[in-house]
């Protein structure tokens, strides 16, 4: 149900943005890309988990494991950059409304999006091939439901663990930098909104940001608990719960948050449903 809800919800968002010309703006084009990434994110891990639960076959080939790792890291890296880009878009919309169309013109946000997808792919390729060439010797069993860097780190040889830890720390640092950029954007947005004397103006401005701020909090909240938590053998079950929240539940909730909190998205969905 989680998987089907996530795929269906994100597909509806993508379809709504493509069909409704009123949504052909930077904000909704970015949302369409976020939904595309969420489908990849969900599909990279959950189908294998369903196969394990339904068939009882809890094995995966070496090559399949690293293909799964690539798509998981690709989706996570791309969504990380995309959320920061969406925060920047909201900053320009709220803090520089008169210059919004000059700053976020079509050519610029298309280049931003191309850079986002290419960067996510390049980062994932680098990590996947780097770890692929390391030795996985102590065991061929992982206490996880998909191939993740943290899970692979536990079954590497002692002299290769350093490199995986280095990759992991690098990814965390990059993620924290992107998170701080998003946080700075919203600090500036909130400080500006608090200076607005009109309550109606504040509510209108907040309504354009609350959906993205909620999604941002869910993604980084689950990610930080998952990757910044110190390793412990006693917390393996907690790791599985956090992994499920990060890779399956968050992509499912994103379209629900946007469709419930955004009137234009709800209107576009109603148009599609009632379209004859």
């Amino acid at each position: 149900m989680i998987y089907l809800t996530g795929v269906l919800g994100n597909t509806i968002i993508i379809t709504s943005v493509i069909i409704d010309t009123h949504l052909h703006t930077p904000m909704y084009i970015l949302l369409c890309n976020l939904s595309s990434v969420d489908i990849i994110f969900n599909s990279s891990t959950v189908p294998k988990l369903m196969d394990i639960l339904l068939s009882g076959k809890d094995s995966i080939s070496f090559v399949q494991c690293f293909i799964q790792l690539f798509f998981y890291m690709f989706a996570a890296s791309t969504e990380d950059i995309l959320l920061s880009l969406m925060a920047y878009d909201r900053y320009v919309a709220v803090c520089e409304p008169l210059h919004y169309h000059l700053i976020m013109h079509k050519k610029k946000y298309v280049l931003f999006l191309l850079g986002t997808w290419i960067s996510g792919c390049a980062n994932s390729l680098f990590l996947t091939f780097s770890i692929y060439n390391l030795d996985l010797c102590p065991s061929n069993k992982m206490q996880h439901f998909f191939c993740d860097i943290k899970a692979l780190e536990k079954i590497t040889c002692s002299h290769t663990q350093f490199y995986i830890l280095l990759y992991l720390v690098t990814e965390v640092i990059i993620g924290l930098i992107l998170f701080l950029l998003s946080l700075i954007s919203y600090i500036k947005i909130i400080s500006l909104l608090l200076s607005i004397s009109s309550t109606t103006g504040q509510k209108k401005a907040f309504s354009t940001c609350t959906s993205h701020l909620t999604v941002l909090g869910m993604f980084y909240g689950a990610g930080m608990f998952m990757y910044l938590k110190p390793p412990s053998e006693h917390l393996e079950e907690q790791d599985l719960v956090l992994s499920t929240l990060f890779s399956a539940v968050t992509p499912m909730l994103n379209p629900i948050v946007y469709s419930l909190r955004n009137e234009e998205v709800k209107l576009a969905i109603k148009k599609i449903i009632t379209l004859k």
Side-chain angles (χ1 to χ4, degrees):
M1 287 302 296
I2 289 173
Y3 179 67
L4 290 176
T5 304
V7 171
L8 181 61
N10 283 299
T11 303
I12 289 171
I13 294 286
I14 294 168
T15 308
S16 302
V17 173
I18 292 172
I19 291 176
D20 195 333
T21 54
H22 294 97
L23 300 183
H24 291 182
T25 61
M27 176 182 172
Y28 294 106
I29 297 295
L30 292 170
L31 176 58
C32 182
N33 279 263
L34 179 66
S35 293
S36 302
V37 173
D38 280 335
I39 291 175
I40 298 171
F41 209 176
N42 230 339
S43 300
S44 65
T45 58
V46 181
K48 179 59 183 176
L49 174 59
M50 290 191 292
D51 178 55
I52 292 170
L53 295 174
L54 294 173
S55 69
K57 297 176 182 179
D58 57 353
S59 62
I60 186 170
S61 72
F62 191 74
V63 174
Q64 287 172 345
C65 177
F66 280 89
I67 290 173
Q68 187 182 57
L69 176 65
F70 167 77
F71 281 105
Y72 172 75
M73 294 301 300
F74 170 57
S77 302
T78 306
E79 182 152 345
D80 205 356
I81 302 168
L82 195 57
L83 287 172
S84 298
L85 185 56
M86 292 175 79
Y88 172 71
D89 173 73
R90 290 302 83 210
Y91 162 74
V92 176
V94 175
C95 299
E96 300 287 343
L98 298 178
H99 300 95
Y100 179 76
H101 292 290
L102 292 174
I103 297 171
M104 293 298 292
H105 54 82
K106 185 177 180 179
K107 185 179 178 181
K108 188 172 184 178
Y109 73 74
V110 167
L111 288 173
F112 274 150
L113 286 172
L114 283 174
T116 298
W117 286 91
I118 291 169
S119 299
C121 184
N123 179 64
S124 182
L125 278 172
F126 170 73
L127 284 172
T128 304
F129 279 111
S130 298
I131 298 169
Y132 184 83
N133 292 319
L134 298 179
D135 296 323
L136 305 176
C137 49
S139 172
N140 63 348
K141 294 181 180 180
M142 291 189 300
Q143 186 63 29
H144 218 306
F145 66 88
F146 70 94
C147 292
D148 182 30
I149 293 181
K150 280 188 76 176
L152 289 169
E153 185 267 332
K154 293 178 182 178
I155 60 171
T156 55
C157 296
S158 57
H159 63 281
T160 61
Q161 284 181 337
F162 169 76
Y163 295 104
I164 289 191
L165 285 172
L166 182 63
Y167 299 142
L168 191 59
V169 169
T170 303
E171 288 303 293
V172 168
I173 290 172
I174 292 171
L176 284 174
I177 290 171
L178 291 169
F179 171 71
L180 287 173
L181 290 174
S182 300
L183 192 62
I184 290 167
S185 296
Y186 275 102
I187 287 172
K188 290 186 176 182
I189 289 170
I190 292 168
S191 62
L192 178 68
L193 293 181
L194 292 175
S195 65
I196 298 174
S197 56
S198 169
T199 308
T200 307
Q202 282 184 344
K203 287 181 179 179
K204 187 178 179 181
F206 265 121
S207 67
T208 66
C209 301
T210 48
S211 299
H212 180 249
L213 199 55
T214 305
V215 169
L216 199 70
M218 290 190 302
F219 179 80
Y220 281 109
M224 284 179 179
F225 274 112
M226 184 174 168
Y227 289 105
L228 295 182
K229 181 174 59 61
S232 172
E233 293 182 1
H234 304 291
L235 298 175
E236 285 186 346
E237 288 186 4
Q238 190 182 87
D239 283 340
L240 294 176
V241 173
L242 290 171
S243 298
T244 307
L245 179 65
F246 185 65
S247 62
V249 178
T250 301
M252 177 201 71
L253 291 176
N254 286 355
I256 296 173
V257 170
Y258 274 106
S259 60
L260 290 177
R261 305 271 320 167
N262 194 298
E263 291 298 327
E264 288 183 310
V265 172
K266 284 194 284 187
L267 185 61
I269 292 170
K270 286 177 184 177
K271 283 181 181 178
I272 292 172
I273 293 171
T274 57
L275 191 63
K276 296 183 180 179

